[in-house]
Amino acid sequence: MGQTCSKMPAAPDRPDGDFARFFRSWVANPMRVSAIAPSGRRLAAIMTREIDPAGGPVIELGPGTGVFTRALLARGVPEPDLTLVEYGAEFIPALHARFPAAKILQMDAARLDELSDWPGRRPGYVVSGLPLLSIPAALRARILGGAFKVLRPEGTFYQFTYGPRPPVSRDILEALDLAAVRIGGTFGNLPPASVYRFERRG
């Protein structure tokens, strides 16, 4: 890299700054941000196509620049039904600017089981943009287990991955009594991705 760009940075609510913001985050911590660019629209469409807008609140883990968030809104999910859980402080201002009616929490997704403020309706879905393959197995288990403590009994968890298999081992799935189903994939993403739905067995 070696040079400092003199161009003024894009405003937090403008999408033309997304790649730069995402790339800076990847350079700073490639294990936390596993891709060098935000997810594409094709992947976002697969990640959200099973979401029923009337199916209750939706939790999004690692929304980053909001690609999946916009897809959820396009599906008809009401913005007040969205809870965006983002660890990276660099993404928070843009998320607030773009999705002012959503609940935005800057926190570690491994603490998801601490959330209990769901008046009236428990969440029906979790949509995850987390780089699970870059996260230690124990934390993967905690994230997934915490999500299913929050979700309704019939709730589902959607996760994309860049690997050829589910990003959660069979041992973890058996310990949590969960099943993983591949629902699609796309070569139009950078890099190519597969999407899995996690659900309770039986």
Side-chain angles (χ1 to χ4, degrees):
M1 307 260 307
Q3 294 182 349
T4 300
C5 179
S6 60
K7 184 179 179 181
M8 291 295 291
D13 60 341
R14 287 179 57 188
D16 56 359
D18 285 352
F19 180 84
R21 187 178 300 109
F22 205 93
F23 186 75
R24 285 195 301 268
S25 297
W26 178 79
V27 169
N29 194 337
M31 295 300 289
R32 178 168 65 83
V33 182
S34 61
I36 63 172
S39 299
R41 292 182 181 178
R42 292 180 185 176
L43 177 58
I46 298 170
M47 283 285 288
T48 59
R49 69 185 178 191
E50 294 188 350
I51 304 294
D52 179 0
V58 179
I59 301 172
E60 185 181 353
L61 305 180
T65 59
V67 175
F68 295 163
T69 316
R70 286 189 285 270
L72 287 165
L73 294 174
R75 284 283 301 167
V77 177
E79 190 170 318
D81 274 359
L82 294 176
T83 294
L84 311 182
V85 177
E86 175 57 59
Y87 183 82
E90 64 273 26
F91 296 113
I92 297 298
L95 291 173
H96 276 295
R98 294 172 184 175
F99 313 110
K103 183 176 184 180
I104 300 171
L105 303 175
Q106 185 183 353
M107 61 178 285
D108 191 332
R111 296 172 49 207
L112 192 60
D113 58 355
E114 298 176 14
L115 299 181
S116 58
D117 185 21
W118 310 106
R121 294 185 301 165
R122 288 172 63 187
Y125 307 97
V126 171
V127 174
S128 172
L130 300 175
L132 284 191
L133 289 177
S134 302
I135 296 174
L139 279 181
R140 289 184 227 176
R142 185 175 174 188
I143 290 168
L144 207 57
F148 279 92
K149 286 182 181 178
V150 172
L151 284 167
R152 297 200 304 266
E154 71 277 18
T156 49
F157 183 113
Y158 294 90
Q159 176 69 51
F160 75 92
T161 183
Y162 301 129
R165 293 181 295 275
V168 179
S169 70
R170 182 176 298 179
D171 290 344
I172 292 176
L173 292 175
E174 289 180 352
L176 297 174
D177 199 25
L178 300 175
V181 179
R182 186 180 184 274
I183 65 168
T186 175
F187 288 97
N189 195 71
L190 180 65
S194 293
V195 177
Y196 286 86
R197 180 181 68 241
F198 296 93
E199 56 196 0
R200 292 181 175 92
R201 292 177 178 170

